Amino acid sequence: MKTCLIPGSFDPITVGHLDIIDRATKLFDHTIISVMHNVKKKCIFTLEERMELIKKVVGERPDVEVTYFDGLMVDYARAHHVDVVVRGLRAVSDFEYEFQIGALNHQLYPELETIYLMTETKYAFLSASMVREIGYYGGNIRDLVPPQIYDEVREKLLKK
Ligand code: ADP
């Protein structure tokens, strides 16, 4: 059985994240979506809210688990017998960051593979920070977040 890990901030989950999740679940027997809990990174949605939003979008599935981690991603991966980390690649600008973090993670835990899934072109310029910014100013985020969480995300961003 092959297990993959999709780590991220998911502040909040977007249709771009969902695209990567959908592809990963087709490739692996078990998928762990894990929300990064980093006290130094200020998020709009709390850890619990971010996990709840993902669960609402993914639904009950025996092959998908929604968790969180703090500390090093490689430590979490090792402890949970993850075979492969899945990351999404958008524009070229993602490459440099991913290249650096991928190389460091490989040094820390050489047995762990990282694979990069290219996003659909229509999501290539979508990021959670864009969603936060557009939502904060009352712009239309309907096509940017999954429909199950649209109202909740919109309301929270407007109140920020
Ligand atoms: P963001 O940069 O949107 O805040 P996260 O830190 O939550 O994203 O990233 C989690 C993972 O999802 C990363 O691998 C990131 O590259 C990927 N990702 C985020 N947005 C998209 C998108 N629009 N298309 C493909 N992958 C994405």
Side-chain angles (χ1 to χ4, degrees):
M1 189 175 101
K2 288 279 179 204
T3 297
C4 78
L5 171 69
I6 309 179
S9 305
F10 303 102
D11 186 36
I13 182 170
T14 68
V15 287
H17 290 132
L18 188 57
D19 178 45
I20 296 301
I21 293 168
D22 280 341
R23 288 159 183 236
T25 55
K26 289 191 188 112
L27 295 171
F28 292 91
D29 307 298
H30 189 65
T31 299
I32 305 175
I33 305 167
S34 200
V35 182
M36 210 167 358
H37 181 43
N38 182 347
V39 278
K40 279 187 255 160
K41 194 169 168 189
K42 259 195 76 63
C43 286
I44 298 234
F45 294 84
T46 65
L47 176 66
E48 290 73 22
E49 285 170 337
R50 286 179 281 151
M51 289 174 69
E52 273 315 306
L53 291 173
I54 299 172
K55 283 181 188 166
K56 264 188 203 159
V57 171
V58 175
E60 280 289 321
R61 288 181 62 156
D63 60 329
V64 181
E65 210 181 328
V66 180
T67 66
Y68 75 93
F69 71 98
D70 45 24
L72 289 177
M73 189 273 288
V74 286
D75 291 339
Y76 182 88
R78 205 191 304 263
H80 292 82
H81 312 288
V82 168
D83 300 289
V84 175
V85 174
V86 173
R87 300 284 297 172
L89 271 189
R90 289 166 284 194
V92 190
S93 50
D94 272 348
F95 179 78
E96 202 167 316
Y97 174 75
E98 292 295 339
F99 189 58
Q100 185 178 12
I101 203 134
L104 285 171
N105 284 338
H106 185 71
Q107 207 167 324
L108 293 169
Y109 185 11
E111 295 79 17
L112 182 68
E113 278 306 336
T114 305
I115 65 166
Y116 303 90
L117 299 181
M118 262 202 286
T119 185
E120 285 242 19
T121 329
K122 61 182 176 196
Y123 303 134
F125 297 100
L126 174 59
S127 65
S129 64
M130 283 294 174
V131 170
R132 293 196 296 273
E133 181 137 351
I134 296 169
Y136 175 79
Y137 290 109
N140 187 358
I141 56 165
R142 195 173 281 282
D143 296 334
L144 310 183
V145 295
Q148 303 93 317
I149 60 166
Y150 168 72
D151 287 328
E152 198 176 331
V153 169
R154 185 174 157 269
E155 267 166 47
K156 172 114 185 182
L157 291 176
L158 277 174
K159 279 194 207 129
K160 276 284 152 192

